[in-house]
Amino acid sequence: LRRIARRRQVPLAAVIREALTEAAESEPRPTLSFIGAVSIDTDWNAEQTAYEYPPITPPVSDPPTPEEIEHYRRLADERA
């Protein structure tokens, strides 16, 4: 990983983050099932609840570092 980082002229952390992201994205995502989900208080089913409450939002990630931005700009330039 250190050799890759030196060759790309990016921090080692950026190479590690990229590898972890690629590994996570290659994993199949589980499908969620709400079959039979019922609220005890109101007897609402999952479909009704989905329309009443806002959707769950994904966690917010840290903004990219200047090194990461420069790295991805270089990648984009190489691919263009």
Side-chain angles (χ1 to χ4, degrees):
L1 291 176
R2 284 187 180 103
R3 277 187 265 148
I4 293 170
R6 268 188 255 126
R7 187 177 71 237
R8 293 182 183 177
Q9 297 178 347
V10 297
L12 177 60
V15 176
I16 293 170
R17 276 193 290 275
E18 182 180 337
L20 290 173
T21 300
E22 287 177 13
E25 289 174 350
S26 69
E27 284 291 311
R29 294 183 180 209
T31 55
L32 301 177
S33 173
F34 292 100
I35 295 173
V38 177
S39 172
I40 296 171
D41 296 333
T42 60
D43 289 334
W44 283 8
N45 63 29
E47 183 180 357
Q48 291 168 326
T49 304
Y51 293 109
E52 294 293 322
Y53 297 103
I56 298 171
T57 56
V60 177
S61 62
D62 294 332
T65 64
E67 293 85 13
E68 290 172 321
I69 292 171
E70 183 57 34
H71 167 71
Y72 288 112
R73 281 189 181 142
R74 268 192 255 117
L75 284 177
D77 289 343
E78 289 172 8
R79 293 178 183 167

